[in-house]
DNA sequence: AATGAATGAGGTTTCATTCAT
DNA sequence: AATGAATGAAACCTCATTCAT
């Protein structure tokens, strides 16, 4: 009612474009993505992409920014809460898992970025990751100081957690499609939240506990 | 008689082509790879790719086969050895790590495959992975039977190990380039074999031990 | 009453549009000119060009009309003055030179028109030129009749004068920028009025005097 | 017979491309020229332009080089001949006129270049022009030394001669098409060589003679 | 009178693939 | 077995123009 119809429509268009772009980049990667396809899914004329956002590279950067950077920031905030180091580790894993569950486009995009050596990652994305890692470092240090954790490299821990989560998420379609994979594996949930998260939490905490 | 050197030379050409293709696919993925670039790096005329191997898709499949399938088979063999379930788990992790260290082109290729939902993975590759998982399942079952392991999903374990290893490997260039990442992280070794493997082994075994 | 400032503003807008258009067409020619750029320089929305003047072709014709036709007419008037054939010839050259000095956008536009074979010149422009030539024809005839000029083709004379002037004007930026051109040439004035006009006048009159 | 058929065919293609490009650039200028049209006239696939020469800009530079630079060099050589300063001036004008008659594509291309302020002219083209001007300077100096010429700026002389010639050439189509132009003007020859050259020679020499 | 958003046609360029030799 | 030249489809991008407000 009160919303300015003007800025709404325009903002809407930009948002639709970025969503479509995220989808297509997630499915096909940067070189595989077709600008036409992005326009089609956004339901706009191709020229609008250039009008509102820019060329293919600009679209990609906008997507990365909106997906990776925002995520890193949110994660950062959420970890700051909580009490004991173990709680904090659980929160970190839970929130990261939840983020991946909620943003199914992130995992493929991040994987491809890693696969290209992050050559095209905007600096802000790298910084976000770095902040997350240093946060984990803080938690681990605190745990060590309190005598509950063994000393362990935070980068490794993040690689392990993130690696497992991301790989688990992107492997879901493969797993479900491959008919020669055992039923019990194929029926594993798509969501991390739940048993998978529980298992990983357990494993990771056992791994770092003293 | 004369064919010997001839076919040698030809075999050589095919090998050079496949190496070049593997390199380029690893760097840029399937859609990003340029046939011209593969020819250039192989030092042959572009038409030779079609003459000796086939079109771009054929090149890709040949690379996958030579890299992923062979690897899976070798890994399979090597795990069969050894005694206690713990030993077997260690062997599995060690050999997998060694394979990734020796074939630096595998991790990016596998990551991209996962990111695309394995859409383009030849069936034989999927089967290889499935066999590895069922092997791990066997080891875990044995461990449970012997009362040394907790019951755990073998797929998850593989995701965790493979995820951590692959992500660790592909993250190396990013990690080293990003100047805002802590020195101690940046100086971590490129090789899995060694401390990284040791840490992961320890974590995983703690995670599954009873 | 209220319309006065209104239409003033509007007239202003049209004028700003035409000035901007003339500039851009002079710099880039018809196909090279961008409608966006014209709007930008005029400080108005692109749609205004269509509202006030018309499409790109209409803009161009308006510019030609306002620059070439008006010029031809003014030149025509001014030549009619004066006494002896020599005076008239001098007036013609002086006024033409002055016009070019005052309208720096004309020379490039005229050159491009010529280069395209005048395909896009509106008829009125061609007629203007024709009238100028017939005027020169009249002066030369008079000179011949009075025994002071040799008989000479008026078109040639106009080509020579106009060619020299226009080429001199447009060559100015090139001349000044090219560091390997002799200092004395590079320091020649940008204006025709003055020594350049004097020299040309002298040359042309010597050329046609008996 | 002796020609390598191979290099002939390829060289032929490149030549056909450059000719077509010269034609189209002469007709429409750089921004107006369509790459498709160049390919069509050369009778080759569009991709061949990129294969053999490069992109649109490369095509343009190749054309400029082959047309302007070669011309400047040839002109330079030819002027060196001849005896008295007057002879040399006549040779210069004759050869320049002949060059323009033989290369009908030059005048429009040069005009447009001038109209754009030579912004896109490759350095070699500018240098060619500079050499021609300094040659004329030499002739004029010699004439002054021998007491036959008045001291005059060689750049001006070249602008006058070149301007008149080029303008005359490019004006031909306009002149012939415009029905309201006097018959006697419309029937003037397309060629410079002949009466037009004669008249200009006479005018210029009268203009610079003492 | 003025604007930001939208459109479609068409422009340049690239790329996988094939042909002639 | 090997090459340089050729091709057509399709990719990305731009531009003049119009619409809704």
């Amino acid at each position: 009612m009160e919303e300015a119809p003007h800025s709404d429509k325009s903002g809407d268009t930009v948002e639709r474009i970025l969503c479509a772009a995220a989808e297509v980049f997630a499915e096909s990667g940067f070189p595989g993505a077709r600008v036409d396809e992005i326009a089609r899914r956004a339901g706009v004329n191709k020229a609008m992409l250039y009008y509102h956002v820019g060329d293919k590279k600009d679209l990609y950067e906008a997507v990365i920014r909106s997906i990776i950077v925002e995520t890193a920031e949110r994660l950062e905030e959420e970890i700051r809460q909580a009490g004991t180091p173990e709680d904090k580790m659980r929160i970190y894993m839970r929130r990261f898992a939840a983020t991946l569950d909620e943003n199914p486009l992130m995992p493929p995009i991040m994987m491809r970025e890693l696969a290209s050596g992050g050559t095209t990652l905007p600096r802000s994305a790298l910084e976000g990751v770095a902040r997350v890692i240093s946060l984990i470092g803080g938690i681990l240090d605190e745990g060590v100081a309190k005598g509950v954790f063994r000393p362990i490299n935070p980068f490794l821990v993040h690689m392990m957690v993130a690696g497992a989560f991301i790989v688990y998420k992107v492997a879901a379609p493969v797993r479900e499609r491959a008919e020669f994979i055992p039923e019990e594996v194929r029926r594993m949930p798509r969501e991390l939240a739940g048993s998978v998260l529980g298992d990983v939490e357990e494993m990771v905490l056992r791994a770092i506990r003293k």
Side-chain angles (χ1 to χ4, degrees), chain A:
Chain A
M1 251 188 195
E2 278 97 331
E3 329 101 53
H6 194 151
S7 79
D8 239 35
K9 201 169 137 214
S10 159
D12 228 38
T13 300
V14 170
E15 200 163 338
R16 280 216 317 285
I17 289 173
L18 290 183
C19 281
E23 249 183 66
V24 175
F25 285 131
E27 281 170 27
S28 316
F30 182 81
R34 297 295 114 120
V35 172
D36 286 56
E37 178 65 11
I38 296 175
R40 207 185 55 71
R41 293 209 202 169
V44 304
N45 184 286
K46 222 188 332 177
M48 278 300 94
L49 307 189
Y50 295 88
Y51 180 75
H52 283 294
V53 184
D55 66 13
K56 196 183 176 183
K57 171 182 53 54
D58 296 330
L59 279 171
Y60 189 66
E61 283 182 9
V63 165
I64 291 289
R65 205 148 272 140
S66 81
I67 285 198
I68 301 206
V69 178
E70 283 171 21
T71 294
E73 279 166 10
R74 193 143 48 92
L75 190 58
E76 217 183 331
E77 270 182 44
E78 292 164 342
I79 301 177
R80 294 197 190 281
Q81 326 276 328
T84 74
E86 248 201 64
D87 285 348
K88 284 181 181 166
M89 281 308 289
R90 286 191 197 275
I91 292 282
Y92 147 66
M93 289 185 275
R94 262 171 222 176
R95 295 313 308 159
F96 193 54
T99 301
L100 296 182
D101 280 341
E102 287 156 22
N103 301 284
L105 302 180
M106 274 187 64
I109 290 182
M110 291 175 71
M111 284 196 90
R112 281 190 233 263
E113 270 305 330
L114 279 173
S116 334
T119 330
T120 53
L121 267 189
R123 186 193 173 83
S124 49
L126 290 177
E127 287 171 348
V129 175
R131 277 202 307 273
V132 170
I133 289 173
S134 78
L135 258 159
I136 300 173
I139 303 175
L140 293 177
D141 286 350
E142 189 190 341
V144 170
K146 295 193 172 161
V148 293
F149 289 169
R150 304 187 299 130
I152 274 200
N153 186 321
F155 183 75
L156 251 190
V157 172
H158 187 55
M159 283 302 99
M160 210 162 163
V161 172
F165 283 171
I166 295 179
V167 171
Y168 184 87
K169 288 299 275 189
V170 298
V174 188
R175 175 167 31 99
E176 288 167 10
R177 239 193 4 262
E179 69 282 354
F180 48 82
I181 281 188
E183 247 326 273
E184 73 190 39
V185 168
R186 293 174 66 185
R187 269 201 325 252
M188 288 166 66
R190 283 184 158 243
E191 305 299 302
L192 293 169
S195 64
V196 176
L197 169 62
D199 287 0
V200 172
E201 265 187 47
E202 215 41 51
M203 284 198 273
V204 169
L205 284 176
R206 280 168 177 273
I208 63 183
R209 268 194 213 115
K210 194 143 199 175

